[in-house]
Amino acid sequence: MTKSVSVGEEKHAPDRLLTPRRSRTLAILVALVVGLVVCYFLAVPFLPALTWALVLTVMFRPLHRRIEKRLRYPEAAAAATVAIASFVVAVPLTFMAERLVNEAAKGAQIVEEAVRSGTWRDALANYPRLAPVVVWIETQLDLAGIAGSATSWLTNFSASFVRGSVAQIVDAILTFYFLFYFLRDGQQALGALKEYSPLSSQEMNRLFTRVNETVQAVVFGTVAVAAVQGAMGGLIFWLLGLPAPVVWGLAMGLLAVVPVLGAFIVWLPAALSLALGGEWGKALILVAWGAGVVATIDNLLYPIFVGDRLKLHTLTAFMSMIGGIIVFGSAGLVIGPVAFTVTLLLLDIWRRHNSNPEA
C-alpha cells in the first residue's frame, strides 16, 4: 500500500511542481515579453515612417512586380520603384503644402493691415443694412487684435512648418528607406512571419490579405474624399466668379490629403479677400460652403467609403480612423483601421478553433 501511495505521489508531483522544462519555458516566455516591449519602444519613433512605407508598398507593389520582370537585380527594381514613388507622392505634396501655408500667412498680414488701417469700413458703404451689425461687432470685439493674433499664428505656423521640414525630410527619407527593403525583401519577411506565427499558413494568408485590403481601402477613401472636397471647393469658386477655380480646386484636394492641413487654407483667405473688397454676400456664401460642406464632408463620406470596402459598420470605421489619429497621429489613419480589421479576423479565427478544436 505504501508503495502505491508513493507511486501516486510521484505521478502527481510533476503537476504540482515547477519542472525544469516548465521553468525553461516560463523563462523564455518572460524574456520574449520583455523583448517585445523593448522592441515596441524602439520602434515607436519610426512608427509613422514604417506605416507610410507599408502604405506605399501596398500601393506600388503591382508596379514593382512589372519592374522586377524587366530588371534582373532585385536591388535595382526596388530602387527604381522607390524613385518613382518619391516623384509621384513626396514632391508635389511637399511643394504644394509649403507654398500654400506661406501664402496663407502673407494673406493674413494683408488682412491685418486692412483691419488696422480701417479701409475695410469703406467697403460697407454699399451695404447700409450690414454696416450697423459690423460696427457693433467691432465695438464688442477687438478685430485688430484678433487679426493680429491670427497673423501671428499663421506666421509662426508657416515658420514652424519650414523649420519642421527638416524633421519631415528625415521622416520622408526613412519612409523611402524602409520602402526599399519592404519591396526587396517583402516576400522573405512574410515567409518568416508565417514560420514564427502560431497561426496556420492559410490563416496567415487571410491575415495578409485583410491588411492589404485595409490599406487599399484607407488610401482609396482618402483620395476619393479629397477629390470630392476639391471638386466642391472648385465648384463654389466657379459659381462665385473667383479666378482659377480648377487650379484652386486641385490645390484644395491636395491639401485635404495632407494631415493637419486642409482646404480651409485656400477658401478662408479667399473669403476674407472678398469681404475686404466689399463683396460681403459672396464672402458669407464662401464661408458657409467651406465650413458647412467642404470641411465636414470628409466626416460623412470617409467612413462610408472605407467602411464599405472593409465590410465594417460605418460607426466602427469612424471610431477606428478618428481614434487612430488621436492615439498615433497622422499614421493612425492607417494603424487604426488595420488594428480593427486584424483584431476582428483574429476573433473569427479564435471562434473557428473553439467551434472545431480539431481544425
Side-chain angles (χ1 to χ4, degrees):
M1 175 178 271
T2 306
K3 185 177 180 179
S4 61
V5 172
S6 61
V7 171
E9 290 177 354
E10 291 177 358
K11 187 179 295 183
H12 293 286
D15 296 333
R16 296 195 303 266
L17 300 177
L18 194 62
T19 63
R21 182 176 179 181
R22 291 181 178 178
S23 299
R24 181 174 177 272
T25 302
L26 181 60
I28 293 175
L29 181 61
V30 172
L32 177 61
V33 172
V34 173
L36 290 175
V37 172
V38 173
C39 289
Y40 168 78
F41 284 108
L42 292 175
V44 163
F46 305 99
L47 194 59
L50 287 169
T51 302
W52 298 121
L54 173 63
V55 171
L56 293 176
T57 301
V58 172
M59 302 311 299
F60 285 91
R61 171 65 69 181
L63 175 63
H64 179 64
R65 288 174 179 171
R66 294 182 180 180
I67 295 177
E68 276 185 319
K69 294 179 180 179
R70 297 178 178 272
L71 300 179
R72 296 177 54 186
Y73 301 100
E75 292 82 2
T81 307
V82 168
I84 295 173
S86 62
F87 180 79
V88 171
V89 176
V91 175
L93 288 180
T94 302
F95 175 77
M96 181 66 70
E98 184 172 353
R99 183 172 181 179
L100 287 178
V101 168
N102 290 332
E103 290 297 326
K106 293 178 182 178
Q109 292 177 354
I110 295 174
V111 170
E112 181 187 8
E113 293 175 0
V115 171
R116 291 188 182 279
S117 64
T119 57
W120 62 277
R121 296 187 184 89
D122 299 335
L124 295 176
N126 297 327
Y127 298 89
R129 295 181 180 180
L130 186 61
V133 177
V134 177
V135 171
W136 179 83
I137 293 175
E138 185 182 17
T139 58
Q140 299 297 319
L141 302 174
D142 182 13
L143 293 181
I146 294 174
S149 299
T151 302
S152 300
W153 181 84
L154 282 172
T155 303
N156 293 334
F157 182 80
S158 177
S160 64
F161 186 88
V162 175
R163 290 195 304 269
S165 62
V166 177
Q168 293 167 4
I169 290 173
V170 172
D171 284 340
I173 292 174
L174 287 174
T175 297
F176 292 109
Y177 176 77
F178 294 145
L179 175 62
F180 174 84
Y181 289 103
F182 284 179
L183 291 171
R184 194 193 70 173
D185 305 324
Q187 295 301 321
Q188 293 88 332
L190 294 180
L193 286 176
K194 287 183 179 180
E195 290 182 4
Y196 289 105
S197 174
L199 302 179
S200 66
S201 178
Q202 183 179 2
E203 291 168 342
M204 287 300 294
N205 288 334
R206 288 180 59 196
L207 183 63
F208 296 152
T209 301
R210 290 298 290 151
V211 171
N212 185 78
E213 292 175 348
T214 301
V215 172
Q216 289 182 344
V218 170
V219 173
F220 168 80
T222 301
V223 173
V225 171
V228 173
Q229 287 182 295
M232 293 295 100
L235 175 63
I236 195 63
F237 269 51
W238 176 71
L239 292 176
L240 295 178
L242 296 175
V246 176
V247 174
W248 289 116
L250 178 61
M252 283 185 273
L254 289 175
L255 286 171
V257 176
V258 181
V260 179
L261 302 180
F264 73 93
I265 291 181
V266 174
W267 61 258
L268 185 58
L272 291 174
S273 177
L274 288 172
L276 292 174
E279 299 182 277
W280 289 88
K282 290 184 177 181
L284 292 175
I285 292 174
L286 183 55
V287 170
W289 185 268
V293 178
V294 178
T296 60
I297 197 171
D298 59 334
N299 295 328
L300 175 64
L301 294 182
Y302 196 89
I304 295 176
F305 286 163
V306 177
D308 288 343
R309 290 174 66 91
L310 294 181
K311 300 180 179 63
L312 291 176
H313 190 275
T314 302
L315 180 60
T316 306
F318 177 81
M319 290 174 58
S320 67
M321 290 177 292
I322 302 302
I325 293 174
I326 293 174
V327 176
F328 297 104
S330 61
L333 186 67
V334 177
I335 297 176
V338 168
F340 256 81
T341 54
V342 169
T343 302
L344 292 176
L345 177 60
L346 293 176
L347 287 173
D348 181 65
I349 293 174
W350 178 268
R351 180 186 61 81
R352 292 174 180 270
H353 277 257
N354 285 340
S355 60
N356 187 13
E358 296 181 358

